Amino acid sequence: MATIRKGGKDWQALTRKKNHIGARSKTFGNKAQAELWGQAVKQSIRAPGSLDQPPPQTLKEAIDAYINGPLQQHRSGHNEQYPLKAMANHWMEGVRLQELSIRHFALWRDQRLLTVKANTVMRELRILRVLLDWAKVELGCDLKHNPARELKVRGASDARFPFITTFQKKKLLLELDQAKNPNHKRLSIFRTSQSKRYLTN
């Protein structure tokens, strides 16, 4: 709470709160304005409710927090929820974050590969990597490192290659015919031929 005192014709509000960033005192024409400023200062340094809550302790708690938090803002959030909810009901749900290791994820990977393709496991693994990074950095969870980033999935490609259809290629080349610099078209033909050769090898 700010201290309000009268000085001549004006009223001064003075705060001694250590965590307040900004002016420590301010002068107003009347007492009501000084009190309002003091209340604003008090509200600005009040800890939000989320700071009063302990960070998630288990993988399931972290998953639930991620689904109800950042995932709500993702354009593909609905698609990402399915594997996360499946993981939340998996045997790993009760593993404490501080005890998570690559061995947990390796066993999860091997079990998933019995029912889905390697690229599917890789996509799910990417989601888990982001989730654990968020839990560690944003929520302050007790994670010394992110074990999901150490895991490899054999038979899956971690790179994403752009795909252009035959129609799109023809349309692109027609547009490049109108360009003043003929090298743009030559370079595009070269790049598409190289990409095709790479994907067929």
Side-chain angles (χ1 to χ4, degrees), residues 73-86:
Q73 307 301 323
H74 289 194
R75 289 193 303 175
S76 59
H78 179 74
N79 295 330
E80 295 178 39
Q81 281 191 33
Y82 175 77
L84 287 177
K85 287 181 177 179

Side-chain angles (χ1 to χ4, degrees), residues 58-65 87-89 92-95 97:
T58 64
L59 181 59
K60 176 176 171 54
E61 290 176 357
I63 290 174
D64 290 341
M87 175 68 83
N89 294 309
M92 283 179 62
E93 65 173 340
V95 178
L97 293 176

Side-chain angles (χ1 to χ4, degrees), residues 23-87:
R24 293 286 177 177
S25 64
K26 206 164 186 180
T27 303
F28 299 89
N30 58 62
K31 185 177 181 181
Q33 291 176 341
E35 289 176 341
L36 284 175
W37 184 82
Q39 288 292 332
V41 169
K42 182 180 179 181
Q43 292 293 330
S44 70
I45 60 177
R46 179 178 295 172
S50 59
L51 291 181
D52 298 331
Q53 300 173 0
Q57 301 298 310
T58 64
L59 181 59
K60 176 176 171 54
E61 290 176 357
I63 290 174
D64 290 341
Y66 188 70
I67 290 176
N68 296 321
L71 207 59
Q72 299 297 318
Q73 307 301 323
H74 289 194
R75 289 193 303 175
S76 59
H78 179 74
N79 295 330
E80 295 178 39
Q81 281 191 33
Y82 175 77
L84 287 177
K85 287 181 177 179
M87 175 68 83

Side-chain angles (χ1 to χ4, degrees), residues 56 61-63 65-67 69-70 129-141 146:
E61 290 176 357
I63 290 174
Y66 188 70
I67 290 176
R129 288 171 177 173
V130 174
L131 183 153
L132 292 177
D133 282 342
W134 171 79
K136 183 178 186 298
V137 176
E138 298 289 335
L139 300 185
C141 292
N146 187 340

Side-chain angles (χ1 to χ4, degrees), residues 105-124:
F105 287 101
L107 185 55
W108 162 80
R109 174 201 60 198
D110 294 344
Q111 290 177 340
R112 290 293 288 149
L113 287 173
L114 295 175
T115 56
V116 299
K117 294 182 179 180
N119 283 335
T120 299
V121 178
M122 193 67 238
R123 284 194 296 270
E124 295 175 356

